[in-house]
């Protein structure tokens, strides 16, 4: 629990010190992340960037490092959540496509907000909640219990509810929230490595979770792709896309495929436009450690 209280202390400092200090601290954390990134993970990331985006090695390395460095800024933005509220949200986050969210919510069928490990996805959930929408974030339980407790506290302080993506209680909460016409936040770029829809991302075979597609088919809920971008002036922009719906034909598997393919196309578009915003250090295709990590003898 020492780490828990240390981070809470750092959060308090970041909330009282000038924003310029937070910016410098974020840059420092980002630089440290680059330095401590394992060599095998960097090699994996660079190879994946080249394979996906068709850039040369030097450009791929820059994208990889920028992708890691932005986590310093992301961490500071989250640790400053105690300062964030509905009255000052507009000073930190601009929203494009808010009309899509408003229209989707007005249908009274719940809304499935789909994003990826792109930009500051934690600030994205906070933004939707502070705009006044009842938001449930579906998350993976962290291996470190203290850190899991900490991040959930910060999610809840900005108005989000949280449930885990595994276990009976998670499934019940997800179904109940949609039945009660609320919003779900779903990260759909994590390879489930089990049940899901097989779809290529940039030509690389992937398994995409089918939760969003299945829930949309069951409840008729609109799916809204939404992504958070960093701006050079220190603000962020949440970009909301028009709604998608899962068809409901006799071929359920094809229905799942069709809407998930559209979601992947949006993800690819976002990555091409801002490649450093995606988390390239993650072993997305589950082959990185096997292919690149030093072999133990």
């Amino acid at each position: 629990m020492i780490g828990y209280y240390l981070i809470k202390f750092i959060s308090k400092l970041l909330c009282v010190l000038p924003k310029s200090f937070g910016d410098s601290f974020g840059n420092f954390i980002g630089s440290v992340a680059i330095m401590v990134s394992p060599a095998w993970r960097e090699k994996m990331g660079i190879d994946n960037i080249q394979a996906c985006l068709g850039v040369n090695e030097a450009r791929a390395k820059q994208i990889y490092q920028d992708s890691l460095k932005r986590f310093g800024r992301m961490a500071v933005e989250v640790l400053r959540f105690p300062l964030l509220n509905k009255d000052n949200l507009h000073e930190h986050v601009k929203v494009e496509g808010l009309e899509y969210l408003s229209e989707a919510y007005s249908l009274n069928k719940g809304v499935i907000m789909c994003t990826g490990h792109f930009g500051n996805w934690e600030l994205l959930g906070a933004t939707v909640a502070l705009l006044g929408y009842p938001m449930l974030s579906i998350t993976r339980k962290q291996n470190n219990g203290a850190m899991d407790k900490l991040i959930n506290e910060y999610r809840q302080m900005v108005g989000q509810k949280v449930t885990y993506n595994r276990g009976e209680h998670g499934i019940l909460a997800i179904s109940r929230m949609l039945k009660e016409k609320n919003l779900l936040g779903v990260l759909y770029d994590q390879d489930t490595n089990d049940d899901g829809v097989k779809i290529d991302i940039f030509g690389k075979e992937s398994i995409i979770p089918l939760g969003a597609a299945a829930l949309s088919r069951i409840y008729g809920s609109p799916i809204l792709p939404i992504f958070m971008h960093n701006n050079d002036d220190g603000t962020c922009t949440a970009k909301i896309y028009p709604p998608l719906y899962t068809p409901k034909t006799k071929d359920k598997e094809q229905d799942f495929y069709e809407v998930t393919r559209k979601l992947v196309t949006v993800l690819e578009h976002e990555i091409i436009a801002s490649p450093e915003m995606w988390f390239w250090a993650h072993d997305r295709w589950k082959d990185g450690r096997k292919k690149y990590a030093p072999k133990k003898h």
Side-chain angles (χ1 to χ4, degrees):
M1 292 293 288
I2 294 176
Y4 170 86
Y5 290 110
L6 175 61
I7 295 177
K8 292 276 281 191
F9 175 71
I10 293 172
S11 174
K12 289 183 178 180
L13 284 180
L14 291 171
C15 289
V16 298
L17 292 173
K19 185 177 181 299
S20 57
F21 175 84
D23 293 341
S24 298
F25 184 70
N27 287 332
F28 169 73
I29 295 298
S31 298
V32 171
I34 293 172
M35 288 189 292
V36 301
S37 175
W40 74 264
R41 197 172 286 278
E42 178 174 315
K43 174 62 176 171
M44 173 198 70
I46 290 172
D47 281 0
N48 283 338
I49 292 168
Q50 287 189 271
C52 292
L53 304 180
V55 298
N56 61 36
E57 184 175 355
R59 174 59 179 147
K61 184 174 182 178
Q62 185 63 56
I63 291 171
Y64 178 82
Q65 292 184 346
D66 288 346
S67 174
L68 272 182
K69 190 171 184 180
R70 72 176 178 81
F71 270 85
R73 171 174 169 171
M74 177 178 175
V76 169
E77 288 169 344
V78 172
L79 292 176
R80 286 171 62 88
F81 271 9
L83 298 178
L84 200 61
N85 57 61
K86 62 183 179 61
D87 296 320
N88 65 20
L89 176 66
H90 68 280
E91 299 174 11
H92 305 279
V93 181
K94 303 175 177 66
V95 182
E96 296 179 359
L98 186 58
E99 67 275 14
Y100 298 128
L101 174 55
S102 178
E103 292 169 8
Y105 187 67
S106 70
L107 298 176
N108 291 319
K109 293 184 177 181
V111 181
I112 305 166
M113 311 290 293
C114 281
T115 191
H117 292 84
F118 185 100
N120 190 339
W121 58 88
E122 295 292 347
L123 182 58
L124 194 59
T127 296
V128 174
L130 289 172
L131 285 171
Y133 293 94
M135 183 78 187
L136 174 70
S137 291
I138 303 172
T139 185
R140 182 182 69 85
K141 190 169 187 177
Q142 302 295 314
N143 295 328
N144 185 304
M147 292 302 101
D148 188 68
K149 178 176 183 289
L150 180 75
I151 189 60
N152 285 336
E153 283 181 5
Y154 278 72
R155 288 165 176 156
Q156 290 164 356
M157 75 170 56
V158 288
Q160 297 182 78
K161 295 180 180 179
V162 180
T163 191
Y164 297 117
N165 60 358
R166 300 285 183 183
E168 178 184 358
H169 295 294
I171 294 171
L172 290 173
I174 291 166
S175 298
R176 184 175 64 252
M177 286 292 285
L178 275 182
K179 288 178 181 178
E180 294 174 354
K181 323 307 180 192
N182 293 303
L183 281 74
L184 303 181
V186 179
L187 289 161
Y188 71 92
D189 62 344
Q190 186 90 15
D191 193 330
T192 57
N193 206 28
D194 43 38
D195 58 330
V197 183
K198 286 187 177 181
I199 295 178
D200 288 356
I201 298 180
F202 294 113
K204 294 171 70 69
E205 184 177 282
S206 305
I207 300 177
I208 310 298
L210 56 75
L215 290 168
S216 176
R217 192 176 190 274
I218 294 169
Y219 298 107
S221 308
I223 300 171
L224 291 186
I226 176 170
F227 293 85
M228 185 70 85
H229 291 260
N230 292 349
N231 299 324
D232 292 337
D233 63 359
T235 64
C236 295
T237 296
K239 183 177 180 182
I240 306 174
Y241 281 80
L244 302 172
Y245 296 87
T246 304
K248 199 165 187 179
T249 70
K250 293 180 180 179
D251 190 343
K252 182 171 66 173
E253 299 304 319
Q254 183 62 27
D255 294 344
F256 290 159
Y257 178 87
E258 285 187 20
V259 73
T260 307
R261 174 68 263 179
K262 291 177 181 177
L263 281 171
V264 168
T265 298
V266 173
L267 174 67
E268 290 174 329
H269 173 79
E270 287 288 317
I271 294 170
I272 290 170
S274 302
E276 71 284 353
M277 289 290 100
W278 203 38
F279 188 27
W280 292 99
H282 173 57
D283 189 1
R284 175 64 184 73
W285 285 279
K286 308 298 184 185
D287 60 356
R289 187 176 295 276
K290 181 179 180 181
K291 289 173 62 175
Y292 299 101
K295 303 293 188 295
K296 294 181 181 181
H297 299 287

PDB file of all heavy atoms in Angstrom, residues 68-83:
ATOM      1  N   LEU A  68       4.871   6.117 -25.877  1.00  0.00           N
ATOM      2  CA  LEU A  68       5.197   5.895 -24.468  1.00  0.00           C
ATOM      3  C   LEU A  68       5.241   7.204 -23.692  1.00  0.00           C
ATOM      4  O   LEU A  68       4.736   7.299 -22.567  1.00  0.00           O
ATOM      5  CB  LEU A  68       6.552   5.198 -24.351  1.00  0.00           C
ATOM      6  CG  LEU A  68       6.586   3.675 -24.396  1.00  0.00           C
ATOM      7  CD1 LEU A  68       8.008   3.190 -24.223  1.00  0.00           C
ATOM      8  CD2 LEU A  68       5.700   3.068 -23.312  1.00  0.00           C
ATOM      9  N   LYS A  69       5.827   8.233 -24.301  1.00  0.00           N
ATOM     10  CA  LYS A  69       6.016   9.498 -23.592  1.00  0.00           C
ATOM     11  C   LYS A  69       4.690  10.146 -23.211  1.00  0.00           C
ATOM     12  O   LYS A  69       4.570  10.781 -22.160  1.00  0.00           O
ATOM     13  CB  LYS A  69       6.838  10.462 -24.447  1.00  0.00           C
ATOM     14  CG  LYS A  69       7.274  11.710 -23.695  1.00  0.00           C
ATOM     15  CD  LYS A  69       8.256  12.537 -24.495  1.00  0.00           C
ATOM     16  CE  LYS A  69       8.747  13.726 -23.671  1.00  0.00           C
ATOM     17  NZ  LYS A  69       9.715  14.545 -24.423  1.00  0.00           N
ATOM     18  N   ARG A  70       3.678   9.963 -24.038  1.00  0.00           N
ATOM     19  CA  ARG A  70       2.388  10.601 -23.744  1.00  0.00           C
ATOM     20  C   ARG A  70       1.752  10.045 -22.476  1.00  0.00           C
ATOM     21  O   ARG A  70       0.852  10.663 -21.891  1.00  0.00           O
ATOM     22  CB  ARG A  70       1.427  10.437 -24.917  1.00  0.00           C
ATOM     23  CG  ARG A  70       0.897   9.042 -25.102  1.00  0.00           C
ATOM     24  CD  ARG A  70      -0.133   8.926 -26.202  1.00  0.00           C
ATOM     25  NE  ARG A  70      -0.567   7.552 -26.359  1.00  0.00           N
ATOM     26  CZ  ARG A  70      -1.475   6.967 -25.578  1.00  0.00           C
ATOM     27  NH1 ARG A  70      -2.031   7.640 -24.597  1.00  0.00           N
ATOM     28  NH2 ARG A  70      -1.817   5.705 -25.774  1.00  0.00           N
ATOM     29  N   PHE A  71       2.233   8.877 -21.997  1.00  0.00           N
ATOM     30  CA  PHE A  71       1.672   8.316 -20.772  1.00  0.00           C
ATOM     31  C   PHE A  71       2.014   9.157 -19.553  1.00  0.00           C
ATOM     32  O   PHE A  71       1.307   9.127 -18.546  1.00  0.00           O
ATOM     33  CB  PHE A  71       2.118   6.866 -20.584  1.00  0.00           C
ATOM     34  CG  PHE A  71       1.177   5.902 -21.231  1.00  0.00           C
ATOM     35  CD1 PHE A  71       1.303   5.589 -22.568  1.00  0.00           C
ATOM     36  CD2 PHE A  71       0.138   5.339 -20.520  1.00  0.00           C
ATOM     37  CE1 PHE A  71       0.421   4.722 -23.187  1.00  0.00           C
ATOM     38  CE2 PHE A  71      -0.757   4.465 -21.127  1.00  0.00           C
ATOM     39  CZ  PHE A  71      -0.613   4.164 -22.463  1.00  0.00           C
ATOM     40  N   GLY A  72       3.108   9.928 -19.637  1.00  0.00           N
ATOM     41  CA  GLY A  72       3.403  10.852 -18.555  1.00  0.00           C
ATOM     42  C   GLY A  72       2.333  11.919 -18.458  1.00  0.00           C
ATOM     43  O   GLY A  72       1.835  12.233 -17.366  1.00  0.00           O
ATOM     44  N   ARG A  73       1.965  12.467 -19.603  1.00  0.00           N
ATOM     45  CA  ARG A  73       0.899  13.471 -19.625  1.00  0.00           C
ATOM     46  C   ARG A  73      -0.427  12.855 -19.167  1.00  0.00           C
ATOM     47  O   ARG A  73      -1.170  13.467 -18.398  1.00  0.00           O
ATOM     48  CB  ARG A  73       0.761  14.037 -21.030  1.00  0.00           C
ATOM     49  CG  ARG A  73      -0.460  14.929 -21.221  1.00  0.00           C
ATOM     50  CD  ARG A  73      -0.490  15.578 -22.580  1.00  0.00           C
ATOM     51  NE  ARG A  73      -1.794  16.201 -22.820  1.00  0.00           N
ATOM     52  CZ  ARG A  73      -2.065  17.000 -23.856  1.00  0.00           C
ATOM     53  NH1 ARG A  73      -1.116  17.275 -24.729  1.00  0.00           N
ATOM     54  NH2 ARG A  73      -3.267  17.528 -23.999  1.00  0.00           N
ATOM     55  N   MET A  74      -0.717  11.654 -19.625  1.00  0.00           N
ATOM     56  CA  MET A  74      -1.957  10.978 -19.250  1.00  0.00           C
ATOM     57  C   MET A  74      -2.026  10.775 -17.741  1.00  0.00           C
ATOM     58  O   MET A  74      -3.065  11.015 -17.106  1.00  0.00           O
ATOM     59  CB  MET A  74      -2.056   9.634 -19.970  1.00  0.00           C
ATOM     60  CG  MET A  74      -3.281   8.815 -19.603  1.00  0.00           C
ATOM     61  SD  MET A  74      -3.339   7.263 -20.544  1.00  0.00           S
ATOM     62  CE  MET A  74      -4.770   6.473 -19.798  1.00  0.00           C
ATOM     63  N   ALA A  75      -0.912  10.332 -17.147  1.00  0.00           N
ATOM     64  CA  ALA A  75      -0.888  10.092 -15.706  1.00  0.00           C
ATOM     65  C   ALA A  75      -1.171  11.375 -14.931  1.00  0.00           C
ATOM     66  O   ALA A  75      -1.941  11.381 -13.960  1.00  0.00           O
ATOM     67  CB  ALA A  75       0.464   9.513 -15.299  1.00  0.00           C
ATOM     68  N   VAL A  76      -0.563  12.479 -15.360  1.00  0.00           N
ATOM     69  CA  VAL A  76      -0.769  13.759 -14.678  1.00  0.00           C
ATOM     70  C   VAL A  76      -2.216  14.207 -14.818  1.00  0.00           C
ATOM     71  O   VAL A  76      -2.832  14.693 -13.851  1.00  0.00           O
ATOM     72  CB  VAL A  76       0.193  14.830 -15.226  1.00  0.00           C
ATOM     73  CG1 VAL A  76      -0.184  16.222 -14.725  1.00  0.00           C
ATOM     74  CG2 VAL A  76       1.625  14.497 -14.825  1.00  0.00           C
ATOM     75  N   GLU A  77      -2.788  14.046 -16.004  1.00  0.00           N
ATOM     76  CA  GLU A  77      -4.188  14.436 -16.209  1.00  0.00           C
ATOM     77  C   GLU A  77      -5.121  13.663 -15.279  1.00  0.00           C
ATOM     78  O   GLU A  77      -6.080  14.226 -14.727  1.00  0.00           O
ATOM     79  CB  GLU A  77      -4.587  14.215 -17.668  1.00  0.00           C
ATOM     80  CG  GLU A  77      -3.956  15.227 -18.621  1.00  0.00           C
ATOM     81  CD  GLU A  77      -4.135  14.871 -20.082  1.00  0.00           C
ATOM     82  OE1 GLU A  77      -4.471  13.703 -20.379  1.00  0.00           O
ATOM     83  OE2 GLU A  77      -3.913  15.754 -20.929  1.00  0.00           O
ATOM     84  N   VAL A  78      -4.847  12.377 -15.088  1.00  0.00           N
ATOM     85  CA  VAL A  78      -5.678  11.568 -14.191  1.00  0.00           C
ATOM     86  C   VAL A  78      -5.467  11.985 -12.738  1.00  0.00           C
ATOM     87  O   VAL A  78      -6.430  12.110 -11.966  1.00  0.00           O
ATOM     88  CB  VAL A  78      -5.376  10.071 -14.375  1.00  0.00           C
ATOM     89  CG1 VAL A  78      -6.083   9.241 -13.305  1.00  0.00           C
ATOM     90  CG2 VAL A  78      -5.804   9.604 -15.762  1.00  0.00           C
ATOM     91  N   LEU A  79      -4.219  12.229 -12.344  1.00  0.00           N
ATOM     92  CA  LEU A  79      -3.933  12.603 -10.964  1.00  0.00           C
ATOM     93  C   LEU A  79      -4.473  13.989 -10.615  1.00  0.00           C
ATOM     94  O   LEU A  79      -4.585  14.333  -9.435  1.00  0.00           O
ATOM     95  CB  LEU A  79      -2.426  12.531 -10.701  1.00  0.00           C
ATOM     96  CG  LEU A  79      -1.831  11.114 -10.728  1.00  0.00           C
ATOM     97  CD1 LEU A  79      -0.323  11.162 -10.557  1.00  0.00           C
ATOM     98  CD2 LEU A  79      -2.463  10.234  -9.653  1.00  0.00           C
ATOM     99  N   ARG A  80      -4.829  14.752 -11.625  1.00  0.00           N
ATOM    100  CA  ARG A  80      -5.449  16.059 -11.402  1.00  0.00           C
ATOM    101  C   ARG A  80      -6.983  15.991 -11.497  1.00  0.00           C
ATOM    102  O   ARG A  80      -7.650  17.025 -11.508  1.00  0.00           O
ATOM    103  CB  ARG A  80      -4.888  17.080 -12.414  1.00  0.00           C
ATOM    104  CG  ARG A  80      -3.462  17.513 -12.097  1.00  0.00           C
ATOM    105  CD  ARG A  80      -2.851  18.344 -13.228  1.00  0.00           C
ATOM    106  NE  ARG A  80      -3.590  19.570 -13.457  1.00  0.00           N
ATOM    107  CZ  ARG A  80      -3.355  20.727 -12.821  1.00  0.00           C
ATOM    108  NH1 ARG A  80      -2.391  20.808 -11.912  1.00  0.00           N
ATOM    109  NH2 ARG A  80      -4.067  21.812 -13.100  1.00  0.00           N
ATOM    110  N   PHE A  81      -7.539  14.784 -11.539  1.00  0.00           N
ATOM    111  CA  PHE A  81      -8.996  14.615 -11.554  1.00  0.00           C
ATOM    112  C   PHE A  81      -9.695  15.346 -10.402  1.00  0.00           C
ATOM    113  O   PHE A  81     -10.823  15.815 -10.574  1.00  0.00           O
ATOM    114  CB  PHE A  81      -9.362  13.134 -11.516  1.00  0.00           C
ATOM    115  CG  PHE A  81      -9.470  12.475 -12.876  1.00  0.00           C
ATOM    116  CD1 PHE A  81      -9.062  13.145 -14.030  1.00  0.00           C
ATOM    117  CD2 PHE A  81      -9.981  11.192 -13.010  1.00  0.00           C
ATOM    118  CE1 PHE A  81      -9.152  12.546 -15.275  1.00  0.00           C
ATOM    119  CE2 PHE A  81     -10.084  10.577 -14.255  1.00  0.00           C
ATOM    120  CZ  PHE A  81      -9.671  11.263 -15.392  1.00  0.00           C
ATOM    121  N   PRO A  82      -9.082  15.430  -9.194  1.00  0.00           N
ATOM    122  CA  PRO A  82      -9.784  16.143  -8.117  1.00  0.00           C
ATOM    123  C   PRO A  82     -10.124  17.596  -8.463  1.00  0.00           C
ATOM    124  O   PRO A  82     -11.021  18.175  -7.839  1.00  0.00           O
ATOM    125  CB  PRO A  82      -8.788  16.070  -6.948  1.00  0.00           C
ATOM    126  CG  PRO A  82      -8.024  14.814  -7.196  1.00  0.00           C
ATOM    127  CD  PRO A  82      -7.866  14.760  -8.689  1.00  0.00           C
ATOM    128  N   LEU A  83      -9.431  18.180  -9.442  1.00  0.00           N
ATOM    129  CA  LEU A  83      -9.707  19.562  -9.842  1.00  0.00           C
ATOM    130  C   LEU A  83     -10.770  19.654 -10.930  1.00  0.00           C
ATOM    131  O   LEU A  83     -11.272  20.739 -11.222  1.00  0.00           O
ATOM    132  CB  LEU A  83      -8.421  20.227 -10.361  1.00  0.00           C
ATOM    133  CG  LEU A  83      -7.260  20.360  -9.371  1.00  0.00           C
ATOM    134  CD1 LEU A  83      -6.057  20.979 -10.062  1.00  0.00           C
ATOM    135  CD2 LEU A  83      -7.660  21.174  -8.154  1.00  0.00           C
TER     136      LEU A  83
END
